[in-house]
Amino acid sequence: MSGFDLAGLNILLLDDSRSIRQVLTTLLRGLGVTRIFESRDADEALVTARLCRPDLALVDYDLGLTSGLEAIRRFRDVSSSPDPGLPIILLAPPSLPHLARGAGAAGADAVLPRPVNAATLAMQVQQVVQAGFLRAAPPLSRTA
């Protein structure tokens, strides 16, 4: 994955904890990302996504009054989401391995166990964003 530039990405962070958003922002800035948009709940995240057009969302599993899975379902809803195909990584505690199935069913592209470090965050962001770009790319035309 060398040569992939994270600096050009718009990233949306959805976490109800301000301190966790600060930690993730610090990690992302260390990876060269400069356009980071923060939200504390799903409603705010959907509005923010309409305005900032993120390339990726990092969504925490525990959002207090709701779950990250519900937030992801809302992002995938074609009737209300600004981008139902937005690549989404769910940040989840490693002690809940069953979340991978639930996350996939909700529409998450990947699950990243917490606590997160810079290397695993960079690798997962690269994989998910590149896969999203490949899905969104028009098919190559074949000429005879």
Side-chain angles (χ1 to χ4, degrees):
M1 305 244 167
S2 67
F4 188 88
D5 184 16
L6 298 178
L9 296 177
N10 287 341
I11 295 186
L12 174 62
L13 298 179
L14 173 52
D15 196 308
D16 64 326
S17 168
R18 183 167 190 229
S19 61
I20 297 297
R21 291 192 314 266
Q22 288 174 330
V23 168
L24 290 168
T25 296
T26 299
L27 286 172
L28 289 165
R29 290 201 190 288
L31 296 171
V33 179
T34 59
R35 293 186 310 267
I36 303 163
F37 303 90
E38 299 180 15
S39 295
R40 65 182 174 268
D41 61 46
D43 291 333
E44 185 179 68
L46 287 166
V47 170
T48 301
R50 286 186 200 291
L51 298 173
C52 75
R53 300 308 227 180
D55 300 301
L56 171 85
L58 296 171
V59 177
D60 185 39
Y61 172 73
D62 182 6
L63 295 174
L65 298 177
T66 187
S67 77
L69 298 179
E70 180 56 33
I72 292 168
R73 284 186 202 97
R74 291 183 62 192
F75 267 100
R76 295 298 183 234
D77 183 351
V78 295
S79 66
S80 62
S81 176
D83 183 2
L86 176 68
I88 299 174
I89 298 173
L90 179 70
L91 302 172
S95 60
L96 302 174
H98 68 281
L99 283 180
R101 289 186 306 276
D109 295 285
V111 177
L112 186 59
R114 293 175 73 169
V116 176
N117 65 49
T120 58
L121 180 61
M123 182 181 72
Q124 193 69 73
V125 167
Q126 289 173 357
Q127 288 176 352
V128 169
V129 171
Q130 285 181 330
F133 286 157
L134 291 175
R135 281 193 313 267
L140 297 174
S141 63
R142 294 182 187 243
T143 55

